[in-house]
Amino acid sequence: MTDDYDIVVAGAGHNSLVAAAYLGKAGLRCLVLEGREVIGGDTATEELTLPGFWSDTCSTAHNVLQASPTLRFDELGLAAHGLEYIHPDPVVHMPFPDGTSLTMWRDLDRTCEEFAAFSPRDADGYRRMMSEYDDVKGLFGAYRYTPIDWGPSLDERLADRADGMRWQRRRQMSAWEIIRTEFEDWHSRAFMLWMAFMTMQPPDHPATGLLAYSLAYGRQMHSWTLPKGGSRALPLALARVVTDQGGAVLTGKPVVRLVVEGERCVGVETADGERFGARRGVLSSIHPKHLVDMAPRQAWGEDFLFGVDTWQAGVSMFVAHYASTEPPRFAAADRELTPVAVGIAPSVERVLRIGGQFSRGAVEIDDPVLLVLCPTTADPTRAPEGSHTLKVIGFQPYELPEGPHAWDDCKDEVSRANLMQLRRFAPNLTDDVLLAAAVKSPLDLERINAHNWHGSCHGGAQGPAQSGRLRPVPGWAQHRMPIPGLYQTGSTTHPGASVSAGPGRNAAAVILKDLGTGLEAALA
């Protein structure tokens, strides 16, 4: 067994690479092993349709990352390693079935004018919500980028504020309860519900109230933030940091077993039988549902196994990628728009149906809710000159009454329904404009990346039972696993989903503390 590295990292998603980059800058030599031939996990960018058309496999926007210490303070020097962000304007456009539309612009006043066209009260409500969240963003950010139990809890942080009790209540409310109070017109409500749903948490579920504020605020402040060259620009820059510090990133090396000696994890074994030893520790981003099968079950303990057994996947996406000769074009007032991001939320009722649809395992293709992305309108480097990449995202359950294998028989019908919905508002997307397609059902998303367990690209549900001190498993929220020497990162750990660098940064801090130093060693 080779043991040339201090830390062996299983998986090359962005959080694994973030952790390895911090550890490397603190003087630890890291080896990152990735099962696929491309790095990035859900921040990969691939030629899914035609050569030269670079489509983001999952994540396209890196909004949450913009507020992270990793990026704000340039802690890893990612800009010097090729990472560049584009901030499109308009941010997102939403056409409605009655011929009206609502557009978010980077200018807050201009966005408020869009709401005011439906209701002056709604414009005031939106402005007030942005101001209220701006006042507490630092508090919530500090919580996200601090390992669990290393500082005050979120409730303790809020208790120190004069308006803390209000935010405690808002956190436990549903996004829908907040939105229906703050907004009166159905267009405004549909827009805000759709926005609050963008981390795949049904907005009528309890404890989603913060999303009614934070997701709209993040888009308003940073736009639908695009990494130039595709989502892969982030993992590629991170990999350069790792290798610059003497580490290595190997692809085509799926980890299949943890090497445990004397009850301690001392390395990993890959599918080809090769073993890699770790002098100081092993860091995993393997989904807990798969991780527990890589060591004897008695090594985990009954409480940990119970936590894994009861893990819930949450909402899954249904994605169709297209290569096209034109972007989707939308009529809006006195102009034509070709935005990067488009939301389709036909009604309040249709958005609110999504949660029930998932719990029933029902494939519903009537009037679908969509997220449509055409990043090439702002970043032409992703396609041949004059061409575009288009991603149409719907929301469908992984579990079907006939079993998830039934997706192979019905996915084309669902993709047609989603495309027809988009064409209601962008009729220029005729068959001759669309050159090729790659349709990915929730089952396909799991096949592409095993971390997308049951089709969830956001690390699973993030309700009260799978958040904070309970993520991923009660008692093991500090990135340390029951097997000594084994640590966990990725979106199944605190603070959870989205491209934030939070789980990776927090895991690195815990590992460095256990090794007798701290994150400051990486920041010197």
Side-chain angles (χ1 to χ4, degrees):
M1 180 167 67
T2 61
D3 58 355
D4 296 335
Y5 295 90
D6 297 303
I7 306 290
V8 173
V9 183
H14 91 277
N15 279 303
S16 294
L17 292 166
V18 164
Y22 279 107
L23 295 171
K25 287 179 71 68
L28 297 172
R29 195 158 178 256
C30 298
L31 171 65
V32 182
L33 301 172
E34 169 57 43
R36 301 189 69 215
E37 295 299 331
V38 296
I39 64 171
D42 283 342
T43 54
T45 304
E46 303 175 72
E47 293 174 301
L48 298 178
T49 54
L50 292 173
F53 289 80
W54 291 94
S55 300
D56 295 324
T57 308
C58 189
S59 165
T60 291
H62 295 178
N63 279 77
V64 181
L65 182 64
Q66 305 307 306
S68 72
T70 303
L71 212 62
R72 282 193 300 128
F73 304 130
D74 197 25
E75 292 179 340
L76 297 176
L78 294 177
H81 287 84
L83 183 62
E84 178 183 348
Y85 280 100
I86 300 168
H87 303 270
D89 199 20
V91 180
V92 62
H93 173 71
M94 180 171 287
F96 295 109
D98 61 4
T100 62
S101 64
L102 198 161
T103 305
M104 176 189 283
W105 302 90
R106 294 207 65 195
D107 180 86
L108 176 62
D109 291 339
R110 195 172 180 186
T111 301
C112 288
E113 289 174 5
E114 297 276 340
F115 280 99
F118 297 108
S119 163
R121 176 182 179 274
D122 291 354
D124 292 342
Y126 182 80
R127 188 185 297 276
R128 181 175 59 255
M129 289 177 68
M130 296 302 97
S131 176
E132 288 173 340
Y133 189 76
D134 185 71
D135 197 38
V136 295
K137 64 182 180 183
L139 180 152
F140 286 106
Y143 171 74
R144 290 176 60 84
Y145 292 97
T146 301
I148 290 295
D149 292 338
W150 276 32
S153 69
L154 192 49
D155 281 340
E156 289 170 335
R157 294 174 189 268
L158 290 171
D160 291 336
R161 294 182 54 89
D163 59 353
M165 288 185 291
R166 296 184 183 186
W167 283 105
Q168 287 174 334
R169 170 61 64 86
R170 287 166 177 160
R171 284 184 56 230
Q172 300 306 323
M173 294 171 70
S174 72
W176 171 227
E177 288 172 322
I178 289 171
I179 290 167
R180 73 183 180 191
T181 299
E182 297 290 343
F183 299 91
E184 62 182 5
D185 186 88
W186 79 263
H187 302 85
S188 306
R189 289 177 168 184
F191 180 89
M192 293 299 291
L193 278 172
W194 177 89
M195 184 67 72
F197 176 58
M198 286 297 101
T199 56
M200 307 301 110
Q201 298 180 67
D204 57 342
H205 283 197
T208 57
L210 186 65
L211 301 178
Y213 292 85
S214 62
L215 294 186
Y217 179 88
R219 305 295 189 196
Q220 185 65 63
M221 294 299 107
H222 303 296
S223 182
W224 208 278
T225 317
L226 301 176
K228 186 176 181 180
S231 198
R232 64 174 177 167
L234 174 61
L236 289 176
L238 289 165
R240 294 183 190 110
V241 176
V242 173
T243 56
D244 280 358
Q245 304 301 323
V249 180
L250 302 181
T251 58
K253 289 286 186 181
V255 171
V256 296
R257 195 167 76 86
L258 303 174
V259 179
V260 179
E261 295 178 357
E263 299 185 348
R264 182 175 180 83
C265 186
V266 297
V268 302
E269 183 177 320
T270 53
D272 57 7
E274 192 169 3
R275 288 187 170 194
F276 298 89
R279 291 191 293 260
R280 312 299 295 274
V282 172
L283 175 62
S284 159
S285 63
I286 298 166
H287 197 286
K289 285 285 189 177
H290 303 304
L291 186 66
V292 294
D293 295 328
M294 295 184 181
R297 289 186 71 81
Q298 63 267 23
W300 300 104
E302 291 302 317
D303 286 342
F304 187 84
L305 292 173
F306 170 81
V308 174
D309 289 343
T310 54
W311 181 266
Q312 300 298 308
V315 172
S316 50
M317 298 188 298
F318 182 102
V319 186
H321 302 272
Y322 297 93
S324 71
T325 60
E326 295 183 24
R329 303 181 185 278
F330 299 88
D334 58 345
R335 64 177 67 89
E336 180 183 79
L337 295 179
T338 56
V340 162
V342 172
I344 295 180
S347 67
V348 168
E349 183 275 336
R350 187 62 182 89
V351 180
L352 294 176
R353 266 171 47 196
I354 291 176
Q357 171 187 344
F358 273 83
S359 64
R360 299 192 312 274
V363 176
E364 298 184 1
I365 59 176
D366 64 299
D367 226 6
V369 175
L370 301 176
L371 163 62
V372 181
L373 297 169
C374 187
T376 43
T377 60
D379 181 9
T381 68
R382 299 171 180 233
E385 185 177 357
S387 300
H388 294 273
T389 62
L390 177 65
K391 181 160 64 170
V392 181
I393 304 168
F395 311 97
Q396 297 290 350
Y398 173 92
E399 298 282 4
L400 303 182
E402 307 88 341
H405 66 274
W407 270 116
D408 290 336
D409 298 322
C410 69
K411 67 180 184 180
D412 288 340
E413 179 185 5
V414 175
S415 68
R416 282 194 299 271
N418 289 348
L419 181 58
M420 291 303 296
Q421 175 77 312
L422 174 56
R423 283 172 168 167
R424 290 176 62 190
F425 307 101
N428 69 301
L429 294 178
T430 54
D431 287 346
D432 60 311
V433 168
L434 303 178
L435 304 176
V439 178
K440 305 298 180 183
S441 71
L443 177 60
D444 292 324
L445 295 175
E446 182 180 56
R447 288 166 171 161
I448 293 170
N449 182 356
H451 196 274
N452 296 335
W453 185 74
H454 282 204
S456 172
C457 297
H458 282 71
Q462 293 199 155
Q466 290 184 186
S467 296
R469 300 184 74 250
L470 305 183
R471 191 175 187 88
V473 171
W476 286 273
Q478 287 190 343
H479 303 279
R480 304 181 185 98
M481 293 289 95
I483 302 174
L486 177 65
Y487 298 84
Q488 183 77 355
T489 189
S491 59
T492 60
T493 65
H494 173 75
S498 298
V499 181
S500 71
R505 187 179 187 273
N506 291 343
V510 171
I511 293 171
L512 289 171
K513 180 180 180 181
D514 287 356
L515 296 179
T517 180
L519 198 63
E520 58 272 11
L523 305 179

